[in-house]
């Protein structure tokens, strides 16, 4: 199949060159249900979609890449992790996204969606770590929350004390615990399509639910029912879906000192003069605590490469290498200034090896 596609690509390129056409030609791969693949276009910009948490790092690399590589500056769009995968999986070709940024791993259902559209060769690249923080205005109260308290504040239904469940009645933080500030529970957070939302629910609320005996027993007896109880966020106005842009959450927190927000650590780092992070079970949300594993809301950030676009989009493999280069993502890389928590050295070397493999693929075409 790859041999046939390579031949078709070569033939199409000769045809475009001979005819002087500026528009993209279409190549039929011959696979039923799969859209034709556009031939390579000179100066086609790399298109990147996905996570708002990963986007600032991609944009920083893209700007440098465009300035020094000789290739056009990649386009980075913020769509949320889920929305990014949806766009990424629409098909193969230079007009489709070549990279999907993600603040969580790709789901099996998303890989199946890609495969149905002919996107069958995907490389997962780990970029670094990020923490998920609960933050509020510098003018607001100080918070020190446990994961159990997060669950009790934000779950749609909680145990009723009689063996069943009831709609979450908590309106004030002191309804959850008298040790918490006296103020309304108002949380600005990412929508269901966000990888930050997924990670917050899994690392925060789910672990908090496990601390409650009734829910721990439910997990052992019926994992699906437990997940439904642990992952479902309130819809009564306490949690406010605030779009995919963490910067917008920061801006609203500054204007609303009574609210708290759920966002990536890098946004806390970049806005430390305006917002502050809550402690998690007494542990500060800091670079060192995330690296050490002491802070309990941390996850790996990824980007996914559409390998089939490597011969169709100039500079794609080189951009991947630039993203995981020691000077970008290493311990002293320029992305650290943007809030990236670097991978351990051996793990970063593994990602660099993946990047070199992609460059070798391009040379083999």
């Amino acid at each position: 199949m790859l041999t046939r596609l390579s031949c078709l690509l070569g033939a199409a390129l000769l045809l475009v060159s001979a005819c002087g056409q500026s528009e993209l030609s279409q190549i039929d791969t011959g696979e039923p249900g799969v859209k034709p693949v556009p031939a390579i276009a000179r100066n086609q910009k790399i298109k990147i979609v996905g996570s708002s948490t990963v986007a600032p790092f991609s944009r920083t690399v893209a700007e440098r890449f465009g300035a020094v590589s000789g290739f056009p500056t990649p386009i980075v769009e913020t769509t949320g992790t889920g929305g990014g995968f949806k766009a990424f999986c629409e098909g193969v070709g230079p007009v489709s996204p070549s990279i999907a940024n993600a603040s969580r791993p790709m789901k099996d259902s998303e890989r199946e969606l890609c495969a149905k559209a002919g996107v069958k060769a995907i490389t997962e690249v780990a970029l670094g770590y990020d923490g998920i923080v609960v933050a509020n205005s510098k003018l607001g109260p100080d918070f020190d929350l446990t994961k159990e308290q997060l669950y009790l504040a934000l779950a749609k239904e909680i145990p009723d004390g009689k063996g069943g469940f009831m709609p979450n009645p908590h309106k004030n933080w002191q309804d959850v615990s008298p040790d918490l500030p006296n103020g309304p529970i108002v949380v600005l957070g990412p929508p269901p399509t966000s990888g930050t939302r997924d990670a917050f629910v899994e690392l925060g609320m789910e672990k908090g639910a496990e601390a409650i005996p009734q829910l721990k027993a439910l997990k052992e007896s019926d994992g699906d029912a437990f997940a439904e109880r642990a992952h479902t966020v309130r819809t009564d106005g306490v949690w406010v879906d605030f779009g995919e842009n963490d910067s917008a959450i920061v801006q609203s927190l500054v204007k609303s000192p009574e609210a708290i927000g759920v966002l990536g650590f890098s946004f806390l780092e970049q806005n430390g003069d305006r917002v502050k992070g809550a402690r998690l079970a007494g542990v500060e949300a800091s670079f060192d605590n995330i690296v050490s594993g002491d802070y309990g809301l941390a996850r790996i950030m990824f980007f996914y490469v559409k390998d089939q676009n490597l011969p169709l989009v100039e500079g794609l493999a080189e951009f991947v290498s630039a993203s995981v280069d020691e000077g970008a993502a290493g311990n002293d890389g320029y992305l650290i200034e943007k809030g990236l928590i670097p991978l351990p050295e051996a793990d970063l070397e593994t990602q660099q090896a993946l990047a070199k493999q992609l460059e070798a693929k391009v040379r083999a075409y």
Side-chain angles (χ1 to χ4, degrees), residues 85 99 117 121-122 149 164 186 207 211 215 224 228 237 257 259 326 332 342 350 362 364:
F85 282 138
I99 292 176
I122 301 170
Q149 290 168 346
V186 180
K207 297 301 181 184
L215 282 156
D224 290 340
E228 179 71 19
E326 184 70 28
D332 297 316
T350 298
V362 175

Side-chain angles (χ1 to χ4, degrees), residues 54-346:
V54 185
F57 305 116
S58 285
R59 286 196 183 100
T60 300
V61 176
E63 289 168 2
R64 292 189 176 226
F65 183 75
V68 304
S69 69
F71 296 108
T73 301
I75 299 170
V76 182
E77 297 180 4
T78 299
T79 61
T81 296
F85 282 138
K86 183 177 179 181
F88 179 81
C89 292
E90 286 181 350
V92 175
V95 297
S96 67
S98 295
I99 292 176
N101 289 331
S103 52
R104 60 160 172 80
M106 186 180 237
K107 298 177 181 177
D108 289 342
S109 60
E110 290 161 338
R111 290 187 181 276
E112 292 170 4
L113 180 66
C114 274
K116 288 179 181 178
V119 182
K120 298 179 179 180
I122 301 170
T123 296
E124 177 186 274
V125 182
L127 180 62
Y129 289 95
D130 183 45
I132 301 170
V133 299
V134 176
N136 64 330
S137 166
K138 285 277 194 178
L139 301 177
D142 294 333
F143 279 87
D144 189 342
L145 294 156
T146 66
K147 293 181 179 180
E148 181 179 354
Q149 290 168 346
L150 287 173
Y151 167 79
L152 291 173
L154 298 175
K156 184 175 182 179
E157 295 185 346
I158 62 174
D160 61 7
K162 303 175 183 178
F165 292 86
M166 63 180 178
N168 196 328
H170 299 148
K171 302 295 184 182
N172 189 294
W173 285 107
Q174 290 195 341
D175 294 337
V176 176
S177 171
D179 297 329
L180 294 176
N182 181 14
I185 303 174
V186 180
V187 181
L188 312 180
T193 54
S194 167
T196 299
R197 165 83 163 256
D198 290 340
F200 174 76
V201 166
E202 292 174 9
L203 298 174
M205 291 177 59
E206 179 178 321
K207 297 301 181 184
E210 291 175 357
I212 300 173
Q214 179 181 337
L215 282 156
K216 183 178 180 180
L218 179 62
K219 182 177 183 179
E220 294 173 354
S221 64
D222 189 337
D224 290 340
F226 167 79
E228 179 71 19
R229 299 291 185 186
H231 293 185
T232 305
V233 176
R234 296 172 73 163
T235 56
D236 58 357
V238 165
W239 175 283
V240 181
D241 284 344
F242 219 76
E244 300 285 359
N245 191 340
D246 285 9
S247 294
I249 293 179
V250 170
Q251 293 170 9
S252 292
L253 291 177
V254 172
K255 297 175 183 177
S256 306
E258 75 283 358
I260 67 172
V262 175
L263 58 151
F265 172 75
S266 59
F267 287 87
L268 175 65
E269 281 278 274
Q270 296 298 311
N271 296 278
D273 58 331
R274 300 192 292 168
V275 295
K276 58 186 176 181
R279 289 178 176 269
L280 186 66
V283 178
E284 179 186 2
S286 70
F287 182 98
D288 290 339
N289 287 336
I290 293 171
V291 170
S292 68
D294 292 336
Y295 183 74
L297 284 175
R299 41 64 189 284
I300 298 177
M301 296 180 292
F302 303 91
F303 62 93
Y304 289 79
V305 183
K306 189 178 295 177
D307 291 13
Q308 290 151 285
N309 271 11
L310 289 168
L312 305 176
V313 181
E314 291 184 308
L316 178 54
E318 289 83 353
F319 178 79
V320 174
S321 292
S323 298
V324 295
D325 182 76
E326 184 70 28
N331 288 327
D332 297 316
Y334 60 81
L335 292 180
I336 304 304
E337 298 176 2
K338 294 292 183 180
L340 182 74
I341 311 294
L343 295 170
E345 185 175 350

